[in-house]
Structure formats: C-alpha cells, structure tokens
Amino acid sequence: MNYCNRFLLLLTFTLFFTNSFAQQSSVRDKVQIFYYGWYANPATDGEYQHWNHEILPHWSNPKWNNLGHHKGGDDIGANFYPALGNYSSNDAKTIEQHMKMIKDSGAGVVVVSWLGKDSFTDKSLIKYLDIADRYDLKIAFHIEPFYKNTSELKEQLSYLVKTYSNHHAFYKKEGKSLFYVYDSYKIPKEEWVKILSANGEKTVRNTDLDALYIGLWVEKDDAEFFDSAGFDGFYTYFASEGFVYGSTTSNWDFMANFAKDHHLIFIPCVGPGYSDTRIRPWNEANFKSRDNGKYYEKMFDAAIKVNPEFIGITSFNEWHEGTQIEPAVPKKAGDFKYEDYGKDPLFYIKETKRLTDKFLKKR
C-alpha cells in the first residue's frame, strides 16, 4: 500500500471515529440535568452559604415563623447528607468530581442555575465550562427569577451571551442557546410577547439573544400562556409527582400533544424523590419516598412514554429539596438521622445511567 492510500485510509478511520463520537455526544444532549452552584464553605469562600439554609416560614401559618437557620457542618438544610460534605461550588476539585459523576450518569447537558451577573452562581462559570469540556459535557442555563422585568432580563442575558457563548462547552441546539426560564409565569404573557415574538417591539429574534426559551408549565391554565407568550417550549421541573399540574405524569400526554400542535418543545422532568422538611417543616404533604429507586424509574418511564426530544432530571444537587442524585451517605447529627441511599452512595448515579440508556435506545 503506497503512502497516499495509507493516508486516505487513516483519514477515513479518523473521520469515522470522530463522527461516531460526536453522534454519541449529541444523543447524550437529550438528557439534561439541573445543577446548583450556590454552595459555599468557610475554607474556600470565608463563610457558609446554603448549607446553613434558613428554615422557611409558612405563607399563612405563623406557627412556623422565626425558626432560625441551620448552622452548617453536621447540621445542614437538607434531609440527606452529601458524601463530599459541605463543599464549595467554587472549588475546582469539587467541580471536577461533579462533572465526572454527571458524565458517568449518562446526562450530556448540565443546566446550571444562574442568578445574574456578579452573583455567586456567576463567579466560577469559566471553571465549570472548562472542566465540563474535558468530560465532553455541555453547559446550559436555568435562569432564576432575579430580574424585575423583561428589559432587565435582556440586559442580563446580553452579558451571559457575550461573556460565555463562544466557549466550546456552551450548549447550543442547532446554533441556538437554550435557556430554561424558572417561574416564567410571574411576568405577564403580554410582556413576554414583546421580546419573544418575531414582531415584538423589543424582540430578541434574529439578534444575538435569539435562543430557545423554555418556560415553566405549572398549572393547567398555562396552556393559554404558552399558546401566545412566544416561548419555544416548556418544562415541568418539579420532582414531586402530583405537586402541580405540570409535575403530574398523567397530564404529560396532553402536554406532549399540546406541544406538538403548537410546534413547541416539551421537556418533562423526572426526579428520584422529594424531601424538604429540613427547610420546610410544614411541607410533609409533598414528601415523595424514593422507594429504593422505584419512584425514579416510574417517573422516567412516564417521560419516555410521551417520546419527548429531551428529558430533564431534577436534580444533580438540589440538596434542600432532596431531589439530588449526587452521592449521599448515612449520618446522624444529634437526634436527627439523615436519609440515605442504602449500601451504595453511587446508587442514583448508576440508576440514572441505566434509565438514560433506556430512554436513548428508544430515540
């Protein structure tokens, strides 16, 4: 075989494996997992944040007012205790461990909670993008409701796009960024139309801020909202089955058909359970037992059944609401015994891989 033929053969093999790897990565992008980078500890950040969460008051019953906050350390605002302890979201070693776990879980996109320019969640985004890239993961953004109106949101997104969107790990679908917009219903649809419709007076369409905007579907009446607000799709977020209309899996057929009829993206979200009474002691009604993984599998199967383009996972590390798949360990602190996963702290990482494989095989 002459030199030219050997070169062509080598080039063919290289292109084949490169394309195969890219296709596998693209398929994994169909599984997107919510991630929280808001944790701080004294060693890295000079103080605790979130591990020392406030015990939240009830909206109407004063019995639950003024209960203080958790102290951090052994006493954290969560019903489970992390295997990595009270870590800092700014610690590169922790970020590395998390990205490896997410890669092992089968998810392809890490949906990072974002509270705007100069916020704690913005501080280490370059670290997240760089480390995610090493694991062939992408970063998308979960826009928290920190802004007062859509004009402020546009300013904030302009910063986000200008600062980070050229990074290789910044997630784009067919060239467009994807933004999950939490509590989107709190701003009237008439305001959303101004920026999200093609003819809106302040439209983002065909500008640098054009993207796939995914709003939060909560109640049944939100069908009217998504019919005309200009969003590109909707997601359900909540991991507590039956908590609201959107997180009730028996409604997902209707929502999937609505999305199809209106040319929208539907992203059903699944979670391993729900347990938040350390920060909401009055919220036992929404507790959902993990049932040794059966609850998670049931939600995943319900999502797979409606054949969505994407599935969202709530969450990698929302410890306060007990929806995390991040490893947890048995622990007792004073009279309180934390929940755990049984013998294997990695159980939900492995289970997520099994369930994501199940979903992607049907794609």
Side-chain angles (χ1 to χ4, degrees):
M1 185 182 292
N2 64 35
Y3 175 80
C4 184
N5 286 341
R6 281 205 320 251
F7 176 77
L8 288 173
L9 186 62
L10 179 62
L11 182 62
T12 300
F13 273 115
T14 301
L15 289 172
F16 172 78
F17 284 113
T18 300
N19 288 335
S20 177
F21 185 72
Q23 286 174 350
Q24 287 178 353
S25 174
S26 177
V27 168
R28 288 288 166 193
D29 290 354
K30 305 297 183 188
V31 181
Q32 310 202 346
I33 189 163
F34 294 102
Y35 181 97
Y36 293 86
W38 57 24
Y39 300 102
N41 65 27
T44 302
D45 311 287
E47 62 178 355
Y48 282 119
Q49 284 193 36
H50 276 268
W51 301 119
N52 59 342
H53 202 288
E54 176 191 7
I55 300 171
L56 299 171
H58 191 271
W59 61 88
S60 63
N61 187 344
K63 171 186 174 183
W64 305 106
N65 290 352
N66 304 313
L67 294 180
H69 59 85
H70 296 280
K71 293 179 172 57
D74 289 343
D75 171 26
I76 65 171
N79 291 57
F80 295 81
Y81 199 86
L84 296 180
N86 290 199
Y87 55 76
S88 166
S89 297
N90 293 313
D91 177 60
K93 183 180 176 183
T94 297
I95 299 169
E96 185 96 28
Q97 290 170 302
H98 282 176
M99 293 303 125
K100 183 182 185 307
M101 291 176 196
I102 291 170
K103 183 69 174 179
D104 290 346
S105 79
V109 177
V110 186
V111 185
V112 174
S113 179
W114 193 67
L115 284 149
K117 181 183 178 183
D118 299 326
S119 70
F120 188 86
T121 56
D122 189 58
K123 185 176 179 180
S124 293
L125 270 184
I126 285 294
K127 286 183 193 174
Y128 278 94
L129 287 159
D130 287 347
I131 296 171
D133 205 26
R134 294 208 294 270
Y135 287 92
D136 196 37
L137 296 168
K138 301 296 184 186
I139 300 282
F141 293 88
H142 198 191
I143 311 301
E144 299 283 359
F146 61 89
Y147 50 91
K148 299 182 184 68
N149 51 55
T150 53
S151 294
E152 184 184 349
L153 174 62
K154 280 183 69 177
E155 288 178 16
Q156 292 283 337
L157 290 179
S158 180
Y159 159 79
L160 184 67
V161 169
K162 285 177 182 175
T163 308
Y164 303 112
S165 67
N166 289 327
H167 198 289
H168 185 254
F170 189 103
Y171 177 66
K172 292 177 183 174
K173 173 178 162 54
E174 297 169 359
K176 284 191 174 184
S177 308
L178 186 150
F179 299 125
Y180 291 83
V181 184
Y182 190 70
D183 279 2
S184 47
Y185 62 90
K186 289 189 173 180
I187 288 179
K189 65 179 179 181
E190 292 78 12
E191 290 301 307
W192 286 116
V193 167
K194 291 177 184 178
I195 70 165
L196 296 183
S197 69
N199 299 318
E201 60 188 77
K202 301 176 182 177
T203 188
V204 299
R205 302 307 182 185
N206 296 314
T207 74
D208 290 345
L209 298 186
D210 201 352
L212 299 172
Y213 288 84
I214 309 297
L216 179 64
W217 184 309
V218 180
E219 301 300 345
K220 186 173 184 179
D221 291 347
D222 288 348
E224 183 182 349
F225 177 90
F226 286 109
D227 181 44
S228 56
F231 280 88
D232 300 281
F234 48 86
Y235 71 118
T236 61
Y237 184 73
F238 301 111
S240 180
E241 158 77 31
F243 170 53
V244 293
Y245 182 90
S247 70
T248 304
T249 57
S250 60
N251 297 325
W252 287 356
D253 272 332
F254 169 80
M255 295 168 73
N257 287 326
F258 178 92
K260 185 178 180 181
D261 292 344
H262 291 78
H263 308 289
L264 298 173
I265 300 167
F266 172 41
I267 306 180
C269 299
V270 304
Y274 188 92
S275 185
D276 72 348
T277 52
R278 289 282 273 175
I279 63 164
R280 299 185 185 97
W282 37 266
N283 197 34
E284 290 182 1
N286 285 311
F287 170 82
K288 295 295 182 295
S289 169
R290 294 189 172 220
D291 196 17
N292 299 313
K294 292 177 184 174
Y295 178 89
Y296 198 24
E297 182 172 31
K298 188 176 178 181
M299 267 200 117
F300 238 108
D301 284 346
I304 292 169
K305 187 179 177 184
V306 298
N307 192 32
E309 184 174 359
F310 302 95
I311 288 180
I313 298 175
T314 307
S315 63
F316 179 76
N317 65 339
E318 217 300 7
W319 288 93
H320 307 309
E321 295 182 345
T323 64
Q324 78 291 330
I325 66 163
E326 183 183 359
V329 291
K331 186 176 180 64
K332 190 173 181 182
D335 295 330
F336 181 75
K337 183 180 180 183
Y338 289 91
E339 298 177 52
D340 61 69
Y341 307 159
K343 294 179 180 179
D344 186 1
L346 288 165
F347 175 80
Y348 284 97
I349 299 294
K350 296 172 182 175
E351 189 65 357
T352 301
K353 180 63 164 65
R354 183 180 75 83
L355 294 169
T356 56
D357 285 353
K358 186 177 180 180
F359 166 53
L360 295 173
K361 280 175 184 174
K362 294 181 179 291
R363 294 297 306 156

